[in-house]
Amino acid sequence: MTARGRFESRRRARRRALQALYQWQLTGQEADEILDQFRAAQDMTGVDDAYFEMLLRGVVADHETLDSELQPFLDRPLDHVDLMERVVLRIGAFELMNCPQLPVPVVLDECIDLAQRFGSEQGHGFVNAVLDRAARHWRTADPGAS
């Protein structure tokens, strides 16, 4: 697979993960159940399925840690953040903390895109500001972080 193809398949994986995590937030279903539902009912063509699963399972398993790590960079409690933007922030935090091979600008751009597509009107600016501050703190050795 070309680098461009892998990039696009991961972009699609993030979109599906966003939708799956939104469902998890609303229903409290187990990750396994959501994975099965998505694989059966959603068009997963061109989606990096392993990356989709990693994001869903990782965010569900680590959401309390992600939330506490994000909180210092927020101007309000995380449970007061719009639900969709909260999911985007968790995806971004998960990638920044667990995927050091991903450059910071890629993580930020992808999360901003998700927030623009699926969040509130000004949500992308909020997501950008929070993740940018977090990345500067978490990825101090990453030349793409500044």
Side-chain angles (χ1 to χ4, degrees):
M1 178 182 293
T2 66
R4 180 151 177 79
R6 188 176 51 146
F7 178 80
E8 186 57 36
S9 69
R10 286 210 172 164
R11 173 173 276 170
R12 291 178 184 182
R14 283 183 191 93
R15 289 179 188 161
R16 288 290 183 236
L18 175 79
Q19 294 165 328
L21 288 162
Y22 186 79
Q23 179 176 328
W24 167 72
Q25 282 284 181
L26 291 177
T27 66
Q29 290 174 284
E30 296 293 324
D32 286 337
E33 188 178 350
I34 294 171
L35 279 167
D36 290 344
Q37 286 177 356
F38 266 69
R39 289 175 174 151
Q42 298 290 326
D43 179 6
M44 299 294 281
T45 306
V47 173
D48 181 334
D49 188 66
Y51 202 73
F52 162 70
E53 182 172 346
M54 180 195 70
L55 288 174
L56 176 60
R57 288 187 187 281
V59 171
V60 168
D62 296 344
H63 72 276
E64 290 177 356
T65 299
L66 297 171
D67 292 357
S68 69
E69 292 293 328
L70 280 165
Q71 191 57 61
F73 308 104
L74 296 169
D75 59 0
R76 58 187 172 265
L78 188 61
D79 61 347
H80 292 179
V81 173
D82 174 81
L83 182 57
M84 189 61 75
E85 288 148 15
R86 191 179 328 153
V87 173
V88 174
L89 288 170
R90 286 175 172 160
I91 290 171
F94 181 84
E95 287 186 318
L96 288 168
M97 296 172 78
N98 296 286
C99 304
Q101 75 282 8
L102 290 176
V104 169
V106 170
V107 175
L108 268 58
D109 287 349
E110 289 296 302
C111 289
I112 291 165
D113 180 65
L114 288 172
Q116 283 178 316
R117 289 177 181 269
F118 300 102
S120 65
E121 188 174 326
Q122 298 301 318
H124 65 282
F126 175 72
V127 165
N128 181 34
V130 171
L131 291 178
D132 182 58
R133 285 192 300 269
R136 290 173 192 271
H137 182 74
W138 298 336
R139 295 263 197 108
T140 56
D142 186 340
S146 51

